[in-house]
Amino acid sequence: MPSETAAKVDIGALASLAGYHLRRASTAFAVDFARALHGTQIRQVPFAILSVVAANPGISQGAVGRALGIQRANMVTLVIELVDRDLVARSASNDDRRLVALALTAAGTATLAACLALIRAHEEAMLGPLSPLERRQLSALLGKIAERDFHTV
Amino acid sequence: MPSETAAKVDIGALASLAGYHLRRASTAFAVDFARALHGTQIRQVPFAILSVVAANPGISQGAVGRALGIQRANMVTLVIELVDRDLVARSASNDDRRLVALALTAAGTATLAACLALIRAHEEAMLGPLSPLERRQLSALLGKIAERDFHTV
DNA sequence: TATTGTTATACTCTATAACTATA
DNA sequence: TATAGTTATAGAGTATAACAATA
C-alpha cells in the first residue's frame, strides 16, 4: 500500500529538545545549499572562507580559521583546494614570516558574487514560511546561542 | 602578544545568512552534547534512535529511519551498534517477514533516562541566554523551517 | 616557549549503488 | 514490481598529535 507515505511517528523526548530541531533545520539548509550551488562546486565551508577573505584581504590563514571555528590543521586542505581552483591567492607576510596571507583572485571575487546570488535565492526559499519579523527573531535568537567561544564551523 | 585573543574579524556576507548562524548554533549544540554525554558513550544520532524506539516499541528499523531522516543503509550500522551494546533488541515481525522490529532492552530504557537527564542540563546551559518566551519562539521558528520532506538527521 | 602552518590519521555522519529476501 | 534490510564504498567535516620554521 503506497498510500502509507509518511506515517507521522512519535519521536518521543526528542520533540522537546532544541538541539534536535536545530540539527534538523541546519541539515535541511545544508542539503538545499548543496542543491542550489551544485553547479558552482562550492560547498558551505569553502564559501564561508571566501566570504571572510573577501571582507579581509591579506588576512592570515589562521585568523580565517579562528573566525569560522575551523582548526588550523583542517584549514590547510580547504585553502589548498581554493588555491588550486584559482579562487584564492597566498602570499608570505613580511612582518611575520610564519603567516600566510590570503586574498581573493579576480575569479574568486566573481565566484563569490555568483554564489551569493544563488544563496540568497536558496535562503529565500528555505525561509519561505517565515515572515520578515520571524526571520529577524530567528537570527537574533541564533546569535544569542552561538555568541560564545565555540570552535568548529 | 597573547592579548590579541579573539580579533573579532568581519565575516562579510556570511553575517546576513541564516544558514550560517544555524550551522554554527547547531554545531555548538553538538559539541556540548558530546561533552555532556561523554561518559555514556551515546552520541546524538544513536540517542535519537533510542528516543524513537522508546516511544514506539516494536517499530520497524525503516520506520525509525524515516522519522529521523536516516537512510536505510545507514540505519544498519547504527542499530547494530545499539544491539551490540544491549540497548536495543531486534525481533522478526510475524506479519511481514521483511521487517525488523526494534524495542528497548531494560538497559536501553535505563540508559535513555540517564542520557535525558544529562541532555536536559546541557540544553539548559546552551539556552541559558534565552528567556522562556524566546525558547518557545526558537522552537516554533525551527519547527516551521524543518516541517517538510527532509532526509538526513 | 609559543605560534603558524603542515602532515598524518581517525571517527562520525551522510550518500549511492547493488544485492537478497520477502511481499 | 516494490519494499526492507544489508553490504560495500566514498565524500565531507571535524578531532588529535607531532613536526619544522619562525617569533
Side-chain angles (χ1 to χ4, degrees):
Chain A
M1 41 188 84
S3 57
E4 206 174 354
T5 32
K8 264 304 180 217
V9 167
D10 176 11
I11 59 173
L14 225 42
S16 66
L17 300 182
Y20 172 70
H21 297 293
L22 216 34
R23 180 185 173 95
R24 291 299 295 261
S26 175
T27 304
F29 262 75
V31 167
D32 195 67
F33 184 103
R35 178 202 57 72
L37 272 73
H38 181 259
T40 67
Q41 294 280 76
I42 301 287
R43 308 181 306 280
Q44 277 185 314
V45 174
F47 174 80
I49 295 174
L50 290 182
S51 178
V52 173
V53 172
N56 307 273
I59 190 174
S60 77
Q61 188 171 309
V64 173
R66 279 189 294 276
L68 294 172
I70 304 171
Q71 302 196 21
R72 281 206 315 288
N74 296 327
M75 279 298 292
V76 179
T77 312
L78 292 164
V79 168
I80 286 175
E81 178 189 340
L82 294 171
V83 169
D84 283 351
R85 295 181 58 185
D86 192 36
L87 302 176
V88 165
R90 318 164 67 160
S91 57
S93 167
N94 289 344
D95 337 347
D96 187 335
R97 284 158 53 209
R98 291 173 301 184
L99 303 181
V100 173
L102 304 180
L104 293 196
T105 62
T109 303
T111 296
L112 177 63
C115 288
L116 205 44
L118 295 170
I119 294 170
R120 298 271 185 228
H122 139 77
E123 288 241 334
E124 182 58 36
M126 294 300 293
L127 296 172
L130 269 54
S131 72
L133 169 63
E134 289 175 322
R135 296 182 193 196
R136 286 196 300 276
Q137 283 181 340
L138 179 62
S139 288
L141 294 172
L142 293 176
K144 281 195 180 189
I145 290 175
E147 224 67 12
R148 308 206 226 178
D149 61 316
F150 308 135
H151 355 289
T152 36
V153 160
Chain B
M1 43 192 83
S3 57
E4 206 173 357
T5 33
K8 263 308 181 214
V9 167
D10 175 12
I11 58 172
L14 226 41
S16 66
L17 300 181
Y20 172 71
H21 297 293
L22 217 33
R23 180 184 171 94
R24 290 300 294 263
S26 175
T27 304
F29 263 75
V31 167
D32 195 67
F33 184 102
R35 177 201 59 72
L37 273 74
H38 181 260
T40 68
Q41 295 280 75
I42 300 286
R43 306 181 308 279
Q44 277 186 315
V45 173
F47 173 80
I49 295 174
L50 290 181
S51 178
V52 172
V53 172
N56 307 272
I59 190 174
S60 77
Q61 187 170 311
V64 174
R66 278 190 295 277
L68 293 173
I70 303 172
Q71 301 197 21
R72 281 205 316 287
N74 296 327
M75 279 298 293
V76 179
T77 311
L78 292 164
V79 168
I80 286 175
E81 177 189 341
L82 294 172
V83 169
D84 283 351
R85 295 181 58 186
D86 191 36
L87 303 175
V88 166
R90 317 164 68 161
S91 57
S93 167
N94 289 345
D95 339 345
D96 186 335
R97 283 159 55 210
R98 291 173 302 182
L99 302 181
V100 172
L102 304 181
L104 292 196
T105 62
T109 302
T111 296
L112 177 64
C115 288
L116 204 46
L118 295 171
I119 294 171
R120 298 271 185 228
H122 138 77
E123 289 239 334
E124 182 58 36
M126 293 301 294
L127 295 173
L130 269 54
S131 71
L133 170 62
E134 288 175 323
R135 297 182 193 194
R136 288 196 299 276
Q137 285 180 340
L138 180 62
S139 286
L141 294 172
L142 293 176
K144 281 196 179 188
I145 291 175
E147 225 67 12
R148 306 205 225 180
D149 60 316
F150 309 135
H151 357 289
T152 37
V153 161

